[in-house]
Amino acid sequence: MKILIINGPNLARLDIRDSTIYGNLSYTDLVALIQAGAKTEGFEIDIRQSNEEAEIIGWLHEAADAHLPVIINPAAFTHYSYAIRDAAELLKAPLIEVHLSNPMAREEFRHTSVISGIAKGTITGFGPGSYLLALRAMRNLLGK
Ligand code: DQA
């Protein structure tokens, strides 16, 4: 079974982001970890990263057309992109929102997610483990 994993802006530069918040993993390391987790859960994954709202919206449209389940870390778009929310709402299969950090324990502007309301669930604060938990949750959701 195939799932799409989407990472939003600045996540490809984990190497230079605040390591006290995002840890020491590079984006390449994160992708390798997610790929290993997907294999464990029996998923074939397509993992993509973009800094652009329009590109992410296009990928969500693709996933809607293909009935693909999606795991998304919308990064900063989480907090204000109604356009990504509207696109995510078109999905036919479940969407799980993930975050490396726990936005609720950070600045106030991160306390709002415009995505959570249309997600099946949200997993935050476990570093790369958030993605592994999301893969496990997706497997349970899809009854595999
Ligand atoms: C993030 C949290 C967001 O608030 C932030 O803008 C990010 C990363 C996370 O994974 O913890 O870029 O989505």
Side-chain angles (χ1 to χ4, degrees):
M1 167 113 216
K2 199 170 161 187
I3 63 177
L4 178 62
I5 301 189
I6 299 176
N7 284 313
N10 302 306
L11 288 169
R13 296 312 314 270
L14 287 176
D15 56 330
I16 55 167
R17 293 189 81 177
D18 187 343
S19 62
T20 62
I21 294 171
Y22 296 111
N24 290 312
L25 236 55
S26 67
Y27 185 68
T28 311
D29 295 337
L30 177 66
V31 168
L33 210 112
I34 296 169
Q35 262 155 355
K39 200 170 169 200
T40 306
E41 302 300 341
F43 287 123
E44 185 193 325
I45 54 163
D46 180 354
I47 177 159
R48 305 179 190 180
Q49 189 277 331
S50 178
N51 296 322
E52 297 192 12
E53 194 176 29
E55 191 166 33
I56 293 172
I57 291 166
W59 291 343
L60 288 166
H61 291 170
E62 243 182 71
D65 291 340
H67 293 235
L68 282 184
V70 174
I71 293 174
I72 188 167
N73 182 346
F77 287 140
T78 306
H79 312 302
Y80 65 91
S81 178
Y82 299 122
I84 288 181
R85 180 201 163 104
D86 284 350
E89 208 166 11
L90 303 175
L91 294 170
K92 307 284 187 294
L95 171 103
I96 298 178
E97 176 189 354
V98 298
H99 298 282
L100 293 160
S101 68
N102 176 3
M104 293 306 285
R106 299 179 62 193
E107 304 96 317
E108 188 132 10
F109 75 88
R110 296 185 204 276
H111 296 184
T112 298
S113 168
V114 300
I115 310 297
S116 294
I118 49 94
K120 188 74 190 167
T122 302
I123 300 169
T124 74
F126 298 100
S130 294
Y131 291 84
L132 303 181
L133 290 166
L135 286 162
R136 172 63 56 87
M138 189 64 90
R139 195 188 56 164
N140 291 340
L141 269 178
L142 300 175
K144 289 189 73 220

